[in-house]
Amino acid sequence: MADNINRTDRDGARSSAWGGTPDGMRHRVIAHIDMDAFYASVEVLDNPELSGKPVIVGGSSKRGVVSASSYEARKFGVHSAMPIFQAKRLCPNGVYLPGRMRRYVEISRVVMGILGDFSPLVEQVSVDEAYLDLTGTAALFGPPAEAALAIKSRIKSKTTLTCSIGVSTCKLLAKIASDMDKPDGLTIIPPGEVESFLATLPIGKVPGIGKKSGEELSKLGVRCVGDLKRFEQEYLTDRFGKFGERLRRICEGSDGSPVVSYTAPKSISGEVTLDEDTSSHSIIKKILLAQSDRVARRLRKQGFKGRTVILKLKTADFKTITRNSTLERSVHLSDKIYTEAVRLLEDERFKKKVRLVGVGVSNLEPSD
């Protein structure tokens, strides 16, 4: 564990703003837990002979992408979402594995169960990360640093895996903090240091600010979050729309969004990237049938029906085509979904071959 952790004081002295004092009562305590190289770490857990080796988990086809890479593999430049063929060029001697989602979910449930022992408010955002609201738990688990260390210790003892944790006053800052000292890190940004922390934080470190928006901000001379203070809110809104409103919240460190233990899905979908591009409707229909069945099973398992069927195609030039149709009645059976997806396909006249086919259902409601 590193000690350069932005106020990760093990005696809790500098975390007194969260220690139950009147000042502390004004601030939420939000933690972001991120499992380190999760898929790859689980593979090493189940096969210790892989320890210390560059492990890459991802699709096995020539169009597969990297789902996760061990820190040994990252030294070669391999990272998530990278095409497998590119990863093999960078790391030809790596251990390439197809992935075992059921096993990852199994370990994930253990981790989420541990988080639930520390707070009833656990918002799982993926199989390997979650937010935790620790507000008001100091009497049970001590100040934030102690609680976070206890979480890390419990996860390590139950799974042998490590995680990185960030703690601050909102979800945005907690997520940024968790990424600052990986792997096996702990970074705490207490209320009194939020402003100074944001002042020098590179704008590219903020989740949701990608290459394009970063370039637009760079044109305005915005390099760090603190640079945003030079602009009035009206100017940011006029130039960036709703994104401008978010920039102001980022600048103030006032995310405000609560930790929600469960959020009903807005849609359920499935898609597949083809091994070879195709313009054959018969081949695409076969894939639509498989994806419709997959989506229908997930709908029934989660207890939903949906009225809107969505067809998604990505052509060879990476153009995405999305079409949808809203039905009179909600559906959760594969034949109904497939029939509507095929109708949408027949209405579409694409000139390029297709490399990805997907089906989705939105406008959901409970089955009962």
Side-chain angles (χ1 to χ4, degrees):
M1 183 107 56
D3 287 324
N4 57 338
I5 40 185
N6 297 328
R7 298 301 165 263
T8 314
D9 304 281
R10 302 191 184 197
D11 60 5
R14 298 184 186 177
S15 300
S16 59
W18 279 314
T21 64
D23 178 59
M25 294 299 288
R26 292 198 297 268
H27 300 283
R28 295 188 301 162
V29 185
I30 308 299
H32 180 257
I33 295 85
D34 193 1
M35 300 301 294
D36 297 321
F38 185 54
Y39 294 179
S41 296
V42 173
E43 295 298 337
V44 175
L45 168 66
D46 290 349
N47 185 1
E49 292 182 359
L50 297 177
S51 180
K53 297 181 180 179
V55 177
I56 298 99
V57 178
S60 56
S61 72
K62 62 182 180 181
R63 286 186 171 174
V65 297
V66 175
S67 298
S69 57
S70 67
Y71 286 93
E72 291 81 4
R74 295 181 192 187
K75 293 177 182 178
F76 292 88
V78 179
H79 57 78
S80 296
M82 172 182 285
I84 287 291
F85 74 85
Q86 185 178 348
K88 288 184 176 180
R89 283 207 300 258
L90 294 172
C91 187
N93 296 322
V95 180
Y96 290 84
L97 302 171
R100 300 174 297 148
M101 186 54 68
R102 287 188 179 181
R103 177 59 173 156
Y104 307 148
V105 170
E106 181 182 351
I107 300 296
S108 174
R109 286 173 180 162
V110 174
V111 173
M112 299 305 157
I114 292 170
L115 299 184
D117 292 338
F118 287 83
S119 171
L121 293 176
V122 179
E123 182 177 335
Q124 182 175 356
V125 293
S126 69
V127 73
D128 61 347
E129 64 176 314
Y131 292 100
L132 188 67
D133 193 333
L134 292 169
T135 308
T137 65
L140 291 172
F141 308 113
E146 291 183 16
L149 287 168
I151 292 170
K152 289 171 66 67
S153 177
R154 186 87 64 86
I155 290 175
K156 185 70 177 290
S157 66
K158 292 289 186 180
T159 69
T160 77
L161 304 181
T162 63
C163 67
S164 295
I165 298 181
V167 185
S168 194
T169 57
C170 66
K171 290 163 69 173
L172 174 67
L173 288 172
K175 183 171 178 61
I176 293 172
S178 70
D179 197 42
M180 295 190 66
D181 187 27
K182 297 179 72 68
D184 198 18
L186 172 55
T187 300
I188 294 183
I189 309 170
E193 298 192 12
V194 168
E195 184 175 358
S196 60
F197 171 80
L198 288 173
T200 57
L201 180 71
I203 197 71
K205 293 286 186 180
V206 178
I209 296 185
K211 181 179 179 181
K212 185 175 181 180
S213 53
E215 290 174 351
E216 289 299 312
L217 289 169
S218 181
K219 292 176 183 177
L220 299 178
V222 176
R223 301 290 187 274
C224 300
V225 173
D227 294 335
L228 290 169
K229 287 191 172 182
R230 301 200 307 263
F231 304 95
E232 296 291 336
Q233 178 61 61
E234 184 178 358
Y235 174 81
L236 292 174
T237 302
D238 287 344
R239 185 176 179 107
F240 298 105
K242 288 187 176 181
F243 180 60
E245 298 175 9
R246 180 170 183 260
L247 287 174
R248 175 54 60 184
R249 292 195 298 272
I250 291 170
C251 180
E252 297 171 347
S254 57
D255 178 345
S257 59
V259 174
V260 181
S261 56
Y262 172 76
T263 302
K266 294 182 179 180
S267 65
I268 292 177
S269 61
E271 61 184 43
V272 62
T273 299
L274 311 183
D275 290 336
E276 294 184 5
D277 299 346
T278 184
S279 57
S280 169
H281 274 221
S282 62
I283 292 176
I284 295 174
K285 287 179 182 178
K286 290 179 181 178
I287 298 168
L288 286 177
L289 180 59
Q291 295 304 313
S292 296
D293 185 58
R294 177 185 175 192
V295 169
R297 282 188 279 111
R298 290 179 58 195
L299 282 167
R300 294 193 296 271
K301 183 176 181 179
Q302 297 185 42
F304 289 101
K305 291 182 176 182
R307 290 186 60 203
T308 302
V309 175
I310 304 162
L311 169 70
K312 178 180 177 181
L313 302 172
K314 184 176 288 187
T315 54
D317 57 356
F318 290 88
K319 177 184 177 182
T320 299
I321 301 170
T322 305
R323 300 291 181 262
N324 64 75
S325 173
T326 299
L327 308 174
E328 291 185 6
R329 295 183 178 181
S330 297
V331 297
H332 64 175
L333 298 177
S334 56
D335 62 333
K336 301 290 185 182
I337 299 170
Y338 172 69
T339 298
E340 194 60 25
V342 168
R343 190 187 69 76
L344 291 169
L345 174 68
E346 298 292 356
D347 290 342
E348 189 60 38
R349 297 291 181 265
F350 45 87
K351 297 180 180 179
K352 299 282 186 178
K353 289 185 176 181
V354 171
R355 72 187 312 272
L356 178 146
V357 179
V359 178
V361 175
S362 64
N363 204 354
L364 304 183
E365 61 185 38
S367 296
D368 56 0

